[in-house]
Amino acid sequence: MTAVTRAEVCAAACADAWRDAGEVLAHTAGVLPSIGARLARLTTSPDLVLTDGEAYFMSDPPPLGRTAADGGVVEGWVPYRRVFDIVASGRRQSMMGASQLDRYGNQNISLIGDWRRPTRQLIGVRGAPGNTANHRTDYWVARHTPKVFVEKVDVVCGVGNDRARGGKGLRFHDLGVVITNLAVLDYGDDGRLRVRSLHPGVTPAEVHANTGFALDATGAPETRLPDATELRLIREVVDPRGLRDREVSRGTGS
C-alpha cells in the first residue's frame, strides 16, 4: 500500500461516525461524508441504508459519481416527499457541511453578515433545523479556518447544544462529531466543542491558529489510520476516481 493520505484519514473518521448505526438512512453532504457512509456500510455498519444520491436505496453502495441508472441492485424508491417522513421518524443520521460553526455546534449555511443586508448569500437554511431536531447530526468541514469556526454564527440553521437544552421540542437533539481536514472534534458535558483527535502531522498550535474561539488540543491523541481493508475499499470500490483528493489535499497521513 502507498502512504495513507489526509483525505483517506478523513474518510475513515467519517465512516466511524456511522459505526454500528443500525438501520438508519445515511444523509451526506460532501465527497468525504459520502465515502465515509459507503465505507461504513461495507465494514462496521452493514444495516446502514444508502441512496444513489437521487431517489433509490441501493443494496450495494455505488462508487461516487454513479447512480442506479449505471447498474446495481435497487432495494427501494424514495421520492422527495417521503424524506420528510423519515426525518420526522428519527430513522436518519446526517453529516452536513457548515459555513460557520460556533463552540456549541450552532451551524450556519444560509448567509454571511447581517441577515437584512448580507455580504454573502449561501444555500439557505435548507433542512438543518429538522435534522438537528429529529436525529443525530454530524458535521464535515473540508477547510478548518477561523472563518468557519467562529464565536457567533450570523444565522442559526442547525441548532447547537446551548439552544437545545431545556427545549421540550428538542428532546431528540443529538450532535455527534465534527470532522475537519485537521482534526476530529466532539462535545464535552458542557456542550462545547473539544478536540477528540488530531490527524497525523497536525499540531495543537495549528488547530488553535485556525479556530476563532478557544479550543485546546494539547494532549489529543492521533486520529486512527484506515486499515488495509478500508484502504482497498476506498481506493478500488468506493472512490476509484480519487475524488477525495479534490476535497482534501494529498497531504500524507502516515
Side-chain angles (χ1 to χ4, degrees), residues 26 65 79 95 121 142 153-154 160 180-181 195 197 201 204 220 233 243:
M95 185 173 287
Q121 179 66 55
V153 299
D154 293 333
T180 82
N181 62 318
V195 179
S197 67
L233 290 170
L243 299 179

Side-chain angles (χ1 to χ4, degrees), residues 29-30 33 94-101 107-109 138-141:
S94 175
M95 185 173 287
M96 293 193 290
S99 301
Q100 290 181 328
L101 203 67
Q107 172 238 34
N108 173 25
I109 52 174
D138 305 292
Y139 291 111
W140 160 247
V141 176

Side-chain angles (χ1 to χ4, degrees), residues 30-89:
V31 171
L32 265 297
S34 297
I35 294 173
R38 286 164 167 78
L39 184 60
R41 168 67 180 264
L42 293 168
T43 54
T44 64
S45 194
D47 294 327
L48 193 64
V49 180
L50 300 178
T51 75
D52 67 341
E54 295 184 359
Y56 293 99
F57 290 159
M58 303 293 292
S59 62
D60 297 311
L64 293 190
R66 297 183 63 183
T67 68
D70 300 310
V73 178
V74 175
E75 292 183 317
W77 175 63
V78 185
Y80 186 65
R81 64 182 180 273
R82 287 291 306 279
V83 174
F84 296 99
D85 296 332
I86 297 172
V87 171
S89 75

Side-chain angles (χ1 to χ4, degrees), residues 123-143:
I123 64 173
V125 171
R126 311 286 288 194
N131 290 348
T132 49
N134 289 293
H135 57 70
R136 171 168 165 166
T137 300
D138 305 292
Y139 291 111
W140 160 247
V141 176
R143 292 175 178 81

Side-chain angles (χ1 to χ4, degrees), residues 102-107 132 137 139 156 158-167 170 173-176 186-193:
D102 72 14
R103 68 179 75 243
Y104 288 102
N106 292 291
Q107 172 238 34
T132 49
T137 300
Y139 291 111
V156 175
V159 181
N161 289 318
D162 56 339
R163 293 172 180 270
R165 290 182 172 180
L170 292 171
H173 181 268
D174 182 12
L175 297 185
D186 61 10
Y187 303 88
D189 292 338
D190 60 358
R192 299 186 182 197
L193 280 170

